[in-house]
C-alpha cells in the first residue's frame, strides 16, 4: 500500500513530473452497476464461510472419537448454510435476468457451476444428517458429505480466483498471482481431511441391519445418490480446464474442450436428474411421515399420482408441450408439487413447526415448473417481418429476431403496437427519465437546467430553470407498447457504449401474472459518429404558411422578439428573433425554434437540430419589408433503435418457488435449532396415521 511513484521512482513520467497523478480509470464494469451486485457477492461469501461450521463439527467428531455427537449441533448450521448459499445463488440469477440481455437467469457458466455443485452436495449432506437422526444409519456417508462440502467450496474458490477458467468463463477472473497459494491451501485441507478420515475409518460405527425398501431411509438415500450424481456430472465437465493443466504439467498436453453449447449440454443431462429428484421428493414425503408397508405404498400414492396425471395432461394440451423429456419433466414436477401439498396440509393440522421439509419441496417443484416454461418455452416476439436485412454484418439471428423502430413510428409486433419515443436521460434527483430536448447541459459535469416544465405522468417534477443532476453514463430508450385491448405501458431498456466493451445493453421488463415481457436494445446509432446531413434546402415563407421539411408538413406560426438569448449577451442595439415552427408528425405536433441574432452588427444563426426527427433548420434571411423569412433545412436519418423482445412464460413460478423454498428452510432451521437447544436425542416427528 504505497504510492505508485514511490515504487516506480525511475519511471520517465515521474522523473519529468514527480507530482504526476494518473487519470481516473474507466470505472466499474457497467453490468456490475446494479444493486443486486452490492448484496449478491457478500451473501455468497457468507454462505461459503458458514459451510466451515458443519465441516469443523464433523472433523472435531473424528478427531475426538465422538462420531455421533456432532450431528445434532451441526444440522441447524448446515441448514443455515444451505439457506444463505441458496439465496446468494438466486440473487445472482435475478441479477443476470434483469441486467444481462441473454434473456435468462442461468447460463451454466463454470463460475456459476462452481457454486451450484457445493450447494447440491450440502443438500445431500443435510438429508444424510436427517437419516442419522431417524435411524442412526448412514453415519459414514454423512461424515464424508459434510467434509466434502467445505472442500468443494475451497475448490470452487481455486477455480474462480486462480485464473484457470480465464478462457472458459465469461466472468472476468484473472490470475492475480494467488494460484499457488490457493492450491496449497486447498491441498492442505484435502490431505489433512483424508488423513484423519482414513485413520478413524474403522472406528466409525456402521449400520449392521439392512435397510427396508419401504423405509424412509432407503428413499432418502436414493435422493442423496441422485443429488451426488447431478453434482458430479457438472463438476466433471467444469473441471476440464483443470485436467488440461494437470496433463500439461505431467508432460503430455491433452486439450479436452469444454461443451461448445454449455446451456444445452448441461440442461440435457440435468433434466433427467431433476426428474428423479422430483419423483423421490414426492414419494419420500409419504414414506417419511407415514409408517408404510408394501401393501399401503401404492394405495397412498394413488391419489397424488392421478391428480398429477390429470393436471399434467391439461398443461400439455393448453401450453402445447410436445417434447417427451419436457412432458416427463412436467409430470414429475407436478407430482412432487401435489404430493408435498397433500402432506403439507396433513402436517400443519398436527404441528406447523414440522412443515419445513414439505414446504421446501413445494418450492423446488414450483421452481422446476417455472424453469421448464420460462426457459424451454421462451418466445421471441420481435420477429423481423419486413423481408429486409438490417445489415449484412449482422448474424442471421440478429436480422431475424429483432425489430427496427424509427422515432415516433408505430410498428406491429406480435399482439402489440410498438412505438419508439426517443432517447432519455436519467435524472438523479427525481429518479425519472427525461427528454434531452427538455434540458440544457451545462459546463459543470453531469449538470443541466430545465428549459421547460417537465412532468412525470401528471406530476410536475421540474420547473423551467431548475438545476438537474444527470446520470449521464447510461442512456435509456423509451418504448411504448399498446396491446390488443388498448392498454399501454412503457419500458426503458438501458444501453451504454463502453470504450473497452462496446455496446452494453440491459433489459427492461414488464411483469405480469402469467409471463414477463423482456426487452432490450440490440443496436443503436453510433453516438460518436456525426450525422450525415443531406444538402440544405432553402424555402421562403410568411407567417401561417405551410411548407415541407423532408417528409413532414411544417407551419410557421409566429415570430417572437427575444430580450435574452442563452450564452449570448445582447446589447441595446442588438436584435434577436425566434421562429415558432409547428411540425406535424404521425404522433402529433413537434415544435422547432431556430433563432436569428444580430449582435454588434454581425449576423448569428442558431439552428434547431432534432436528431430524433432527423431535422435541422435555421434562418437564412429575413425580409422585413415583405415580411418573408428564408429558412435553410436539412434532413438526415432520424433516430432509431433495433429492439429484441421475448415472452418469458411461467417465470413467476420460479421466483415464488424460490421464496417458498427460503421459507421452508427457515422453518427447518428453527425446528432443528430448538431440538438442539432442548437437548433432544430422539426424533420428534409424528406418525400421521396416529
Amino acid at each position: 500500500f504505497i504510492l505508485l511513484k514511490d515504487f516506480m521512482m525511475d519511471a520517465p513520467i515521474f522523473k519529468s513530473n514527480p507530482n504526476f497523478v494518473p487519470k481516473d480509470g474507466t470505472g466499474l464494469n457497467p453490468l456490475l452497476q446494479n444493486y443486486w451486485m452490492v448484496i449478491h457477492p457478500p451473501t455468497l461469501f457468507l454462505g461459503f464461510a458458514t459451510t466451515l461450521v458443519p465441516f469443523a463439527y464433523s472433523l472435531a467428531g473424528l478427531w475426538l472419537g465422538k462420531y455421533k455427537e456432532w450431528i445434532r449441533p451441526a444440522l441447524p448450521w448446515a441448514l443455515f448454510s444451505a439457506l444463505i448459499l441458496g439465496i446468494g445463488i438466486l440473487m445472482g440469477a435475478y441479477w443476470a435476468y434483469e441486467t444481462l440481455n441473454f434473456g435468462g437467469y442461468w447460463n451454466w457458466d463454470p463460475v456459476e457451476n462452481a457454486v451450484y455443485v457445493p450447494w447440491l452436495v450440502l443438500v445431500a449432506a443435510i438429508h444424510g444428517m436427517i437419516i442419522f437422526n431417524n435411524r442412526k444409519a448412514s453415519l459414514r456417508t454423512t461424515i464424508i458429505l459434510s467434509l466434502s462440502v467445505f472442500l468443494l467450496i475451497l475448490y470452487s474458490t481455486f477455480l474462480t480466483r486462480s485464473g484457470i477458467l480465464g478462457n472458459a468463463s465469461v466472468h472476468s477472473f484473472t490470475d492475480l498471482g494467488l494460484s499457488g497459494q490457493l492450491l496449497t491451501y486447498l491441498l492442505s485441507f484435502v490431505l489433512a481431511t483424508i488423513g484423519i478420515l482414513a485413520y478413524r475409518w474403522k472406528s466409525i460405527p456402521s449400520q449392521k441391519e439392512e435397510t427396508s425398501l419401504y423405509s424412509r431411509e432407503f428413499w432418502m438415500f436414493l435422493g442423496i445418490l441422485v443429488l451426488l450424481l447431478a453434482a458430479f456430472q457438472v463438476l466433471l465437465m467444469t473441471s476440464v480446464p483443470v485436467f488440461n493443466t494437470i496433463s500439461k504439467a505431467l508432460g503430455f498436453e491433452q486439450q479436452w474442450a469444454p461443451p461448445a453449447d454449455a446451456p444445452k449440454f448441461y440442461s440435457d443431462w440435468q433434466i433427467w436428474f431433476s426428474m428423479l429428484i422430483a419423483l423421490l421428493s414426492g414419494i419420500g414425503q409419504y414414506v417419511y411421515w407415514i409408517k408404510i408397508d408394501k401393501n399401503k405404498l401404492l394405495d397412498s400414492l394413488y391419489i397424488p399420482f392421478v391428480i398429477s396425471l390429470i393436471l399434467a395432461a391439461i398443461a400439455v394440451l393448453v401450453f402445447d408441450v410436445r417434447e417427451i423429456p419436457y412432458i416427463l419433466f412436467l409430470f414429475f414436477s407436478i407430482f412432487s408439487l401435489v404430493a408435498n401439498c397433500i402432506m403439507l396440509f396433513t402436517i400443519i393440522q398436527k404441528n406447523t413447526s414440522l412443515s419445513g421439509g414439505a414446504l421446501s419441496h413445494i418450492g423446488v417443484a414450483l421452481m422446476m415448473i417455472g424453469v421448464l416454461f420460462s426457459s424451454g418455452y421462451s418466445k421471441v416476439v420481435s420477429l423481423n417481418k419486413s423481408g429486409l436485412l438490417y445489415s449484412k454484418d449482422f448474424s442471421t439471428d440478429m436480422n431475424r429476431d429483432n425489430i427496427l423502430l424509427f422515432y415516433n413510428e408505430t410498428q406491429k409486433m406480435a399482439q402489440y403496437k410498438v412505438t419508439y419515443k426517443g432517447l432519455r436521460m436519467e435524472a438523479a434527483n427525481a429518479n425519472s427519465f427525461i427528454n434531452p430536448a427538455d434540458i440544457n447541459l451545462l459546463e459543470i459535469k453531469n449538470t443541466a437546467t430545465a428549459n421547460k416544465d417537465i412532468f412525470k405522468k401528471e406530476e410536475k417534477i421540474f420547473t423551467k430553470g431548475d438545476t438537474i443532476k444527470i446520470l449521464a453514463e447510461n442512456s435509456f430508450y423509451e418504448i411504448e407498447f399498446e396491446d390488443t385491448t388498448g392498454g399501454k405501458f412503457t419500458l426503458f431498456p438501458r444501453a451504454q457504449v463502453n470504450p473497452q466493451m462496446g455496446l452494453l445493453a440491459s433489459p427492461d421488463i414488464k411483469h405480469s401474472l402469467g409471463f414477463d415481457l423482456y426487452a432490450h436494445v440490440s443496436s443503436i446509432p453510433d453516438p460518436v459518429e456525426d450525422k450525415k446531413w443531406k444538402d440544405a434546402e432553402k424555402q421562403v415563407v410568411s407567417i401561417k404558411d405551410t411548407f415541407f421539411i423532408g417528409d413532414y408538413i411544417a407551419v410557421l406560426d409566429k415570430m417572437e422578439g427575444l430580450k435574452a438569448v442563452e450564452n449570448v449577451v445582447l446589447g441595446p442595439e442588438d436584435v434577436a428573433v425566434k421562429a415558432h415552427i409547428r411540425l406535424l408528425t404521425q404522433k402529433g405536433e413537434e415544435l422547432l425554434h431556430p433563432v436569428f441574432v444580430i449582435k454588434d452588427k454581425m449576423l448569428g444563426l442558431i439552428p434547431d437540430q432534432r436528431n430524433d426527427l432527423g431535422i435541422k433548420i435555421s434562418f437564412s434571411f429575413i425580409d422585413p419589408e415583405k415580411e418573408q423569412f428564408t429558412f435553410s433545412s436539412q434532413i438526415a436519418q432520424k433516430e432509431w433503435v433495433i429492439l429484441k423482445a421475448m415472452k418469458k412464460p411461467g417465470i413467476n413460478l420460479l421466483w415464488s418457488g424460490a421464496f417458498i423454498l427460503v421459507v421452508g428452510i427457515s422453518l427447518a432451521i428453527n425446528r432443528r435449532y430448538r431440538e438442539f437447544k432442548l437437548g433432544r436425542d430422539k426424533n420428534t416427528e409424528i406418525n400421521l396415521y396416529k
Side-chain angles (χ1 to χ4, degrees):
F1 295 98
I2 63 175
L3 294 176
L4 188 63
K5 66 178 181 180
D6 294 333
F7 179 71
M8 302 176 64
M9 292 180 290
D10 295 333
I13 186 64
F14 294 118
K15 284 185 175 180
S16 61
N17 182 8
N19 296 319
F20 171 74
V21 177
K23 292 182 179 179
D24 287 343
T26 55
L28 189 65
N29 182 327
L31 299 179
L32 303 182
Q33 298 172 27
N34 181 279
Y35 54 89
W36 286 113
M37 291 307 293
V38 179
I39 53 179
H40 158 60
T43 305
L44 272 183
F45 182 79
L46 177 61
F48 285 170
T50 52
T51 60
L52 177 62
V53 179
F55 172 84
Y57 270 119
S58 179
L59 204 62
L62 289 174
W63 183 269
L64 300 174
K66 297 182 178 181
Y67 306 111
K68 304 176 182 179
E69 293 82 352
W70 68 272
I71 290 182
R72 187 158 50 88
L75 181 53
W77 278 104
L79 286 163
F80 180 76
S81 295
L83 174 67
I84 300 301
L85 195 55
I87 290 174
I89 293 171
L90 290 167
M91 285 178 177
Y94 195 79
W95 164 78
Y97 181 66
E98 75 162 21
T99 305
L100 305 182
N101 59 28
F102 70 96
Y105 35 80
W106 193 263
N107 206 36
W108 295 108
D109 183 83
V111 173
E112 295 172 353
N113 298 347
V115 181
Y116 173 71
V117 169
W119 189 82
L120 284 182
V121 177
L122 177 58
V123 172
I126 290 169
H127 286 79
M129 294 179 186
I130 294 173
I131 290 176
F132 181 81
N133 277 348
N134 292 338
R135 284 285 303 273
K136 307 302 177 189
S138 301
L139 180 58
R140 291 182 173 178
T141 302
T142 302
I143 291 174
I144 292 173
L145 293 177
S146 301
L147 295 172
S148 298
V149 174
F150 184 67
L151 297 179
L152 285 169
I153 291 295
L154 296 180
Y155 180 61
S156 69
T157 305
F158 170 74
L159 288 178
T160 56
R161 302 307 304 172
S162 66
I164 201 167
L165 296 178
N167 296 324
S169 172
V170 297
H171 292 73
S172 301
F173 292 108
T174 57
D175 186 1
L176 300 177
L178 298 174
S179 54
Q181 298 175 41
L182 291 170
L183 185 59
T184 302
Y185 191 72
L186 170 63
L187 292 178
S188 298
F189 270 88
V190 170
L191 294 175
T193 302
I194 292 175
I196 295 175
L197 186 61
Y199 178 72
R200 293 293 193 181
W201 184 256
K202 292 184 179 180
S203 304
I204 301 174
S206 60
Q207 183 183 13
K208 294 182 179 179
E209 60 178 286
E210 293 185 2
T211 301
S212 168
L213 178 64
Y214 303 100
S215 67
R216 63 181 71 173
E217 292 76 26
F218 174 80
W219 290 95
M220 290 181 69
F221 189 80
L222 281 181
I224 291 173
L225 182 61
V226 175
L227 286 170
L228 294 179
L229 288 173
F232 178 75
Q233 187 267 330
V234 176
L235 181 65
L236 183 67
M237 295 310 300
T238 304
S239 300
V240 164
V242 178
F243 300 149
N244 290 337
T245 303
I246 293 174
S247 67
K248 184 178 181 179
L250 294 176
F252 58 95
E253 194 163 337
Q254 178 65 52
Q255 289 297 329
W256 288 296
D261 186 352
K264 184 178 187 307
F265 174 82
Y266 286 110
S267 298
D268 287 348
W269 278 88
Q270 292 294 306
I271 190 172
W272 298 103
F273 293 124
S274 300
M275 287 183 207
L276 292 174
I277 291 170
L279 175 64
L280 292 171
S281 70
I283 296 175
Q285 280 293 296
Y286 276 80
V287 179
Y288 186 87
W289 289 106
I290 301 173
K291 286 186 178 179
I292 205 163
D293 56 27
K294 180 179 179 180
N295 297 324
K296 293 179 180 178
L297 179 60
L298 293 177
D299 292 340
S300 300
L301 296 174
Y302 177 76
I303 292 178
F305 182 85
V306 172
I307 294 174
S308 304
L309 197 61
I310 294 172
L311 292 177
I314 293 172
V316 166
L317 293 175
V318 171
F319 300 106
D320 194 25
V321 182
R322 297 185 180 183
E323 298 84 350
I324 297 299
Y326 289 179
I327 293 173
L328 293 174
F329 183 81
L330 179 61
F331 168 72
F332 286 126
S333 300
I334 292 176
F335 172 75
S336 176
L337 177 64
V338 171
N340 280 283
C341 282
I342 293 173
M343 292 309 303
L344 176 66
F345 179 75
T346 309
I347 291 168
I348 59 178
Q349 291 180 318
K350 302 288 184 179
N351 189 343
T352 305
S353 65
L354 303 178
S355 60
L359 204 58
S360 299
H361 291 162
I362 289 171
V364 172
L366 284 172
M367 289 176 69
M368 288 182 174
I369 298 172
V371 168
L372 171 64
F373 285 107
S374 62
S375 294
Y377 290 92
S378 175
K379 182 181 179 182
V380 176
V381 295
S382 55
L383 296 176
N384 176 13
K385 296 184 178 180
S386 68
L388 302 174
L389 296 179
Y390 300 137
S391 172
K392 293 181 180 179
D393 296 330
F394 289 169
S395 66
T396 302
D397 291 347
M398 177 76 171
N399 280 303
R400 182 192 63 212
D401 297 340
N402 293 263
I403 186 170
L404 174 62
L405 300 174
F406 287 105
Y407 175 78
N408 254 351
E409 289 186 7
T410 300
Q411 295 281 352
K412 186 79 169 63
M413 186 187 81
Q415 73 267 40
Y416 301 102
K417 293 179 180 178
V418 188
T419 307
Y420 170 47
K421 306 293 286 186
L423 175 69
R424 299 292 180 260
M425 303 180 78
E426 187 175 13
N429 41 350
N431 191 26
S432 61
F433 303 110
I434 56 179
N435 190 335
D438 296 339
I439 60 174
N440 299 314
L441 292 174
L442 304 178
E443 292 184 4
I444 303 173
K445 186 177 180 182
N446 297 337
T447 307
T449 58
N451 57 31
K452 59 182 290 189
D453 292 343
I454 300 175
F455 293 84
K456 182 178 181 180
K457 296 183 178 178
E458 303 298 326
E459 178 188 0
K460 184 165 73 171
I461 56 175
F462 295 111
T463 302
K464 182 178 180 179
D466 283 353
T467 300
I468 305 172
K469 183 69 174 177
I470 300 296
L471 301 178
E473 187 174 37
N474 295 305
S475 298
F476 296 83
Y477 299 85
E478 183 177 349
I479 313 292
E480 183 183 83
F481 293 79
E482 181 179 352
D483 60 26
T484 52
T485 64
K488 293 183 179 181
F489 60 91
T490 303
L491 295 180
F492 292 89
R494 182 191 76 170
Q496 179 183 135
V497 179
N498 186 271
Q500 282 76 37
M501 305 176 67
L503 176 64
L504 298 172
S506 294
D508 198 6
I509 304 169
K510 170 65 175 177
H511 301 285
S512 59
L513 186 62
F515 64 90
D516 281 358
L517 184 67
Y518 183 100
H520 68 87
V521 295
S522 302
S523 184
I524 58 174
D526 190 336
V528 178
E529 182 179 312
D530 291 333
K531 274 188 174 291
K532 296 179 180 178
W533 296 97
K534 293 185 178 180
D535 293 337
E537 179 182 352
K538 292 185 178 181
Q539 299 184 71
V540 180
V541 296
S542 300
I543 302 295
K544 297 302 180 181
D545 277 357
T546 298
F547 60 105
F548 285 93
I549 304 177
D551 295 330
Y552 297 105
I553 297 175
V555 179
L556 177 59
D557 281 334
K558 64 178 181 177
M559 288 291 174
E560 178 187 0
L562 300 178
K563 295 181 179 180
V565 176
E566 188 174 359
N567 298 324
V568 178
V569 179
L570 295 178
E573 302 296 326
D574 298 335
V575 177
V577 178
K578 179 170 72 173
H580 289 257
I581 299 174
R582 186 160 36 98
L583 200 69
L584 307 180
T585 70
Q586 182 185 11
K587 290 294 181 178
E589 297 180 351
E590 302 277 354
L591 297 178
L592 301 175
H593 299 292
V595 176
F596 183 96
V597 179
I598 298 177
K599 177 177 172 55
D600 298 331
K601 298 182 180 181
M602 297 180 64
L603 179 63
L605 305 175
I606 303 175
D608 192 348
Q609 180 172 321
R610 292 288 302 272
N611 289 331
D612 50 3
L613 297 169
I615 287 176
K616 178 164 61 175
I617 187 168
S618 62
F619 277 98
S620 287
F621 181 72
I622 295 180
D623 187 341
E625 293 182 359
K626 295 182 179 179
E627 295 186 354
Q628 290 182 331
F629 309 90
T630 305
F631 292 100
S632 176
S633 62
Q634 291 177 273
I635 61 172
Q637 178 69 68
K638 63 182 175 181
E639 197 173 318
W640 57 270
V641 293
I642 294 179
L643 183 80
K644 184 172 183 179
M646 292 178 282
K647 268 190 174 181
K648 311 289 290 186
I651 189 71
N652 287 327
L653 291 176
L654 171 61
W655 307 127
S656 59
F659 176 77
I660 293 172
L661 173 62
V662 168
V663 173
I665 298 178
S666 300
L667 288 174
I669 293 172
N670 180 60
R671 171 196 169 190
R672 297 298 178 178
Y673 182 69
R674 285 193 297 107
E675 289 179 0
F676 165 62
K677 291 262 298 187
L678 293 172
R680 294 178 180 173
D681 293 320
K682 293 186 178 181
N683 181 32
T684 58
E685 289 149 9
I686 55 176
N687 176 12
L688 296 181
Y689 271 165
K690 292 182 180 180

